[in-house]
Short mmCIF file of all heavy atoms in Angstrom, two decimals:
data_model
loop_
_atom_site.label_atom_id
_atom_site.label_comp_id
_atom_site.label_asym_id
_atom_site.label_seq_id
_atom_site.Cartn_x
_atom_site.Cartn_y
_atom_site.Cartn_z
N ARG E 289 -39.16 2.21 -1.50
CA ARG E 289 -38.48 1.12 -0.79
C ARG E 289 -37.60 0.33 -1.74
O ARG E 289 -36.44 -0.01 -1.42
CB ARG E 289 -39.49 0.19 -0.14
CG ARG E 289 -40.51 0.82 0.78
CD ARG E 289 -41.57 -0.23 1.15
NE ARG E 289 -42.09 -0.89 -0.03
CZ ARG E 289 -42.61 -2.13 -0.05
NH1 ARG E 289 -42.66 -2.84 1.06
NH2 ARG E 289 -43.09 -2.65 -1.17
N LEU E 290 -38.14 0.02 -2.91
CA LEU E 290 -37.37 -0.76 -3.88
C LEU E 290 -36.24 0.06 -4.48
O LEU E 290 -35.17 -0.48 -4.78
CB LEU E 290 -38.30 -1.28 -4.98
CG LEU E 290 -39.31 -2.34 -4.56
CD1 LEU E 290 -40.15 -2.77 -5.75
CD2 LEU E 290 -38.62 -3.54 -3.94
N ALA E 291 -36.46 1.36 -4.65
CA ALA E 291 -35.40 2.21 -5.18
C ALA E 291 -34.19 2.20 -4.24
O ALA E 291 -33.03 2.17 -4.68
CB ALA E 291 -35.91 3.63 -5.38
N LEU E 292 -34.44 2.21 -2.94
CA LEU E 292 -33.35 2.15 -1.97
C LEU E 292 -32.65 0.79 -2.01
O LEU E 292 -31.41 0.71 -1.95
CB LEU E 292 -33.88 2.43 -0.57
CG LEU E 292 -34.39 3.86 -0.31
CD1 LEU E 292 -35.07 3.95 1.05
CD2 LEU E 292 -33.24 4.86 -0.41
N ALA E 293 -33.43 -0.27 -2.11
CA ALA E 293 -32.83 -1.61 -2.21
C ALA E 293 -32.04 -1.75 -3.51
O ALA E 293 -30.98 -2.38 -3.54
CB ALA E 293 -33.92 -2.67 -2.12
N LEU E 294 -32.55 -1.16 -4.58
CA LEU E 294 -31.84 -1.21 -5.87
C LEU E 294 -30.49 -0.51 -5.76
O LEU E 294 -29.48 -1.00 -6.29
CB LEU E 294 -32.69 -0.56 -6.95
CG LEU E 294 -32.09 -0.48 -8.35
CD1 LEU E 294 -31.78 -1.86 -8.90
CD2 LEU E 294 -33.04 0.27 -9.30
N ALA E 295 -30.46 0.62 -5.07
CA ALA E 295 -29.18 1.32 -4.87
C ALA E 295 -28.20 0.43 -4.11
O ALA E 295 -26.99 0.44 -4.38
CB ALA E 295 -29.42 2.63 -4.13
N ASP E 296 -28.71 -0.35 -3.16
CA ASP E 296 -27.89 -1.30 -2.41
C ASP E 296 -27.30 -2.35 -3.34
O ASP E 296 -26.12 -2.70 -3.27
CB ASP E 296 -28.74 -1.93 -1.31
CG ASP E 296 -27.96 -2.88 -0.42
OD1 ASP E 296 -26.73 -2.91 -0.51
OD2 ASP E 296 -28.61 -3.59 0.38
N VAL E 297 -28.13 -2.88 -4.23
CA VAL E 297 -27.68 -3.91 -5.17
C VAL E 297 -26.62 -3.36 -6.13
O VAL E 297 -25.60 -4.01 -6.39
CB VAL E 297 -28.89 -4.45 -5.97
CG1 VAL E 297 -28.42 -5.35 -7.11
CG2 VAL E 297 -29.83 -5.22 -5.05
N LEU E 298 -26.85 -2.17 -6.64
CA LEU E 298 -25.97 -1.61 -7.66
C LEU E 298 -24.65 -1.08 -7.09
O LEU E 298 -23.64 -1.06 -7.78
CB LEU E 298 -26.69 -0.49 -8.41
CG LEU E 298 -27.93 -0.91 -9.19
CD1 LEU E 298 -28.65 0.32 -9.76
CD2 LEU E 298 -27.58 -1.88 -10.32
N GLY E 299 -24.68 -0.66 -5.84
CA GLY E 299 -23.47 -0.16 -5.21
C GLY E 299 -23.21 1.30 -5.53
O GLY E 299 -23.84 1.89 -6.40
N PRO E 300 -22.23 1.90 -4.83
CA PRO E 300 -22.00 3.35 -4.95
C PRO E 300 -21.38 3.79 -6.27
O PRO E 300 -21.45 4.96 -6.62
CB PRO E 300 -21.05 3.64 -3.78
CG PRO E 300 -20.34 2.34 -3.54
CD PRO E 300 -21.35 1.27 -3.82
N ASP E 301 -20.77 2.86 -6.98
CA ASP E 301 -20.07 3.25 -8.21
C ASP E 301 -20.90 3.07 -9.47
O ASP E 301 -20.40 3.24 -10.58
CB ASP E 301 -18.77 2.44 -8.34
CG ASP E 301 -17.81 2.71 -7.18
OD1 ASP E 301 -17.78 3.86 -6.70
OD2 ASP E 301 -17.12 1.76 -6.77
N THR E 302 -22.16 2.71 -9.31
CA THR E 302 -23.00 2.46 -10.49
C THR E 302 -23.24 3.73 -11.28
O THR E 302 -23.28 4.84 -10.71
CB THR E 302 -24.35 1.86 -10.08
OG1 THR E 302 -25.12 1.63 -11.27
CG2 THR E 302 -25.13 2.83 -9.20
N GLU E 303 -23.40 3.56 -12.57
CA GLU E 303 -23.77 4.68 -13.42
C GLU E 303 -25.24 4.62 -13.83
O GLU E 303 -25.69 5.38 -14.68
CB GLU E 303 -22.88 4.71 -14.67
CG GLU E 303 -21.41 4.98 -14.34
CD GLU E 303 -20.56 5.11 -15.58
OE1 GLU E 303 -21.09 4.94 -16.69
OE2 GLU E 303 -19.35 5.36 -15.44
N VAL E 304 -25.98 3.71 -13.22
CA VAL E 304 -27.42 3.62 -13.49
C VAL E 304 -28.11 4.86 -12.92
O VAL E 304 -27.87 5.24 -11.78
CB VAL E 304 -28.03 2.35 -12.88
CG1 VAL E 304 -29.54 2.33 -13.08
CG2 VAL E 304 -27.40 1.11 -13.51
N ASP E 305 -28.93 5.47 -13.74
CA ASP E 305 -29.69 6.66 -13.34
C ASP E 305 -31.05 6.18 -12.83
O ASP E 305 -31.92 5.83 -13.61
CB ASP E 305 -29.85 7.58 -14.55
CG ASP E 305 -30.59 8.87 -14.21
OD1 ASP E 305 -31.01 9.03 -13.05
OD2 ASP E 305 -30.77 9.70 -15.12
N VAL E 306 -31.21 6.15 -11.50
CA VAL E 306 -32.45 5.66 -10.89
C VAL E 306 -33.35 6.84 -10.59
O VAL E 306 -32.96 7.77 -9.88
CB VAL E 306 -32.17 4.86 -9.60
CG1 VAL E 306 -33.48 4.37 -8.99
CG2 VAL E 306 -31.24 3.68 -9.89
N ARG E 307 -34.56 6.80 -11.13
CA ARG E 307 -35.55 7.86 -10.90
C ARG E 307 -36.73 7.25 -10.13
O ARG E 307 -37.26 6.21 -10.53
CB ARG E 307 -36.07 8.43 -12.22
CG ARG E 307 -34.98 8.87 -13.20
CD ARG E 307 -34.43 10.22 -12.84
NE ARG E 307 -33.43 10.67 -13.81
CZ ARG E 307 -33.71 11.48 -14.84
NH1 ARG E 307 -34.96 11.92 -15.02
NH2 ARG E 307 -32.76 11.85 -15.67
N VAL E 308 -37.13 7.90 -9.05
CA VAL E 308 -38.34 7.49 -8.33
C VAL E 308 -39.50 8.27 -8.94
O VAL E 308 -39.63 9.48 -8.73
CB VAL E 308 -38.22 7.76 -6.82
CG1 VAL E 308 -39.51 7.33 -6.11
CG2 VAL E 308 -37.02 7.02 -6.24
N ALA E 309 -40.31 7.58 -9.71
CA ALA E 309 -41.38 8.25 -10.46
C ALA E 309 -42.39 7.22 -10.91
O ALA E 309 -42.12 6.01 -10.93
CB ALA E 309 -40.81 9.00 -11.67
N ASP E 310 -43.56 7.71 -11.29
CA ASP E 310 -44.64 6.88 -11.82
C ASP E 310 -44.62 6.98 -13.35
O ASP E 310 -44.92 8.04 -13.91
CB ASP E 310 -45.98 7.38 -11.27
CG ASP E 310 -47.16 6.53 -11.70
OD1 ASP E 310 -46.99 5.67 -12.59
OD2 ASP E 310 -48.27 6.75 -11.17
N ALA E 311 -44.25 5.90 -14.00
CA ALA E 311 -44.12 5.92 -15.46
C ALA E 311 -45.44 6.18 -16.16
O ALA E 311 -45.45 6.54 -17.34
CB ALA E 311 -43.52 4.60 -15.95
N LEU E 312 -46.55 6.02 -15.46
CA LEU E 312 -47.85 6.30 -16.07
C LEU E 312 -48.17 7.78 -16.11
O LEU E 312 -48.97 8.22 -16.94
CB LEU E 312 -48.96 5.58 -15.31
CG LEU E 312 -49.24 4.13 -15.69
CD1 LEU E 312 -50.35 3.57 -14.81
CD2 LEU E 312 -49.62 4.01 -17.16
N HIS E 313 -47.55 8.56 -15.23
CA HIS E 313 -47.95 9.95 -15.09
C HIS E 313 -46.81 10.96 -15.15
O HIS E 313 -47.05 12.14 -15.41
CB HIS E 313 -48.74 10.14 -13.79
CG HIS E 313 -49.93 9.26 -13.66
ND1 HIS E 313 -51.05 9.39 -14.46
CD2 HIS E 313 -50.16 8.19 -12.86
CE1 HIS E 313 -51.93 8.46 -14.14
NE2 HIS E 313 -51.42 7.72 -13.17
N ALA E 314 -45.60 10.54 -14.88
CA ALA E 314 -44.47 11.47 -14.89
C ALA E 314 -44.25 12.03 -16.29
O ALA E 314 -44.47 11.33 -17.29
CB ALA E 314 -43.20 10.77 -14.40
N PRO E 315 -43.81 13.28 -16.41
CA PRO E 315 -43.56 13.86 -17.73
C PRO E 315 -42.48 13.08 -18.48
O PRO E 315 -41.34 12.97 -18.01
CB PRO E 315 -43.08 15.28 -17.39
CG PRO E 315 -43.60 15.56 -16.03
CD PRO E 315 -43.60 14.24 -15.31
N LEU E 316 -42.84 12.53 -19.61
CA LEU E 316 -41.89 11.71 -20.36
C LEU E 316 -40.73 12.52 -20.93
O LEU E 316 -39.63 11.99 -21.10
CB LEU E 316 -42.62 10.97 -21.48
CG LEU E 316 -43.57 9.85 -21.02
CD1 LEU E 316 -44.32 9.27 -22.20
CD2 LEU E 316 -42.80 8.76 -20.29
N ASP E 317 -40.97 13.79 -21.23
CA ASP E 317 -39.87 14.60 -21.75
C ASP E 317 -38.76 14.74 -20.72
O ASP E 317 -37.58 14.86 -21.08
CB ASP E 317 -40.37 15.97 -22.21
CG ASP E 317 -41.05 16.75 -21.10
OD1 ASP E 317 -41.44 16.14 -20.09
OD2 ASP E 317 -41.20 17.97 -21.26
N GLN E 318 -39.12 14.70 -19.43
CA GLN E 318 -38.10 14.75 -18.38
C GLN E 318 -37.45 13.39 -18.17
O GLN E 318 -36.23 13.29 -18.02
CB GLN E 318 -38.72 15.25 -17.08
CG GLN E 318 -39.24 16.68 -17.13
CD GLN E 318 -39.89 17.11 -15.83
OE1 GLN E 318 -39.68 16.51 -14.78
NE2 GLN E 318 -40.70 18.17 -15.89
N LEU E 319 -38.25 12.34 -18.18
CA LEU E 319 -37.69 11.00 -17.97
C LEU E 319 -36.75 10.59 -19.10
O LEU E 319 -35.80 9.82 -18.88
CB LEU E 319 -38.81 9.97 -17.84
CG LEU E 319 -39.66 10.00 -16.57
CD1 LEU E 319 -40.67 8.87 -16.59
CD2 LEU E 319 -38.78 9.89 -15.33
N LEU E 320 -37.00 11.09 -20.30
CA LEU E 320 -36.23 10.65 -21.47
C LEU E 320 -35.26 11.72 -21.97
O LEU E 320 -34.68 11.56 -23.05
CB LEU E 320 -37.19 10.25 -22.60
CG LEU E 320 -38.13 9.09 -22.28
CD1 LEU E 320 -39.13 8.89 -23.40
CD2 LEU E 320 -37.34 7.81 -22.04
N ALA E 321 -35.09 12.78 -21.21
CA ALA E 321 -34.20 13.86 -21.66
C ALA E 321 -32.76 13.36 -21.76
O ALA E 321 -32.25 12.68 -20.87
CB ALA E 321 -34.28 15.03 -20.68
N ARG E 322 -32.11 13.69 -22.87
CA ARG E 322 -30.70 13.33 -23.10
C ARG E 322 -30.01 14.47 -23.82
O ARG E 322 -30.62 15.21 -24.58
CB ARG E 322 -30.59 12.06 -23.96
CG ARG E 322 -31.10 10.80 -23.33
CD ARG E 322 -30.91 9.62 -24.27
NE ARG E 322 -29.51 9.42 -24.58
CZ ARG E 322 -28.67 8.70 -23.83
NH1 ARG E 322 -29.11 8.12 -22.74
NH2 ARG E 322 -27.41 8.55 -24.16
N ASP E 323 -28.72 14.56 -23.60
CA ASP E 323 -27.94 15.61 -24.27
C ASP E 323 -27.54 15.22 -25.69
O ASP E 323 -27.35 16.08 -26.54
CB ASP E 323 -26.68 15.93 -23.46
CG ASP E 323 -26.99 16.56 -22.11
OD1 ASP E 323 -28.04 17.23 -22.02
OD2 ASP E 323 -26.20 16.37 -21.17
N ASP E 324 -27.43 13.90 -25.94
CA ASP E 324 -26.89 13.47 -27.23
C ASP E 324 -27.97 13.20 -28.27
O ASP E 324 -27.66 12.92 -29.43
CB ASP E 324 -26.02 12.23 -27.06
CG ASP E 324 -26.74 11.08 -26.37
OD1 ASP E 324 -27.99 11.08 -26.36
OD2 ASP E 324 -26.07 10.20 -25.83
#
């Protein structure tokens, strides 16, 4: 619910990468993966 509201706040042009996940259990290597 909050993720949807957050998308509303940020608007369609945002570059924020919003992930719906549980930070206690989600694989951190996926949450923190970067190319650089």
Side-chain angles (χ1 to χ4, degrees):
R289 306 170 310 154
L290 292 181
L292 292 172
L294 178 60
D296 183 11
V297 170
L298 297 174
D301 299 325
T302 180
E303 295 184 357
V304 175
D305 182 358
V306 180
R307 308 280 182 96
V308 179
D310 183 350
L312 275 179
H313 304 292
L316 290 175
D317 58 343
Q318 296 178 18
L319 289 183
L320 299 173
R322 294 181 60 86
D323 294 331
D324 55 20

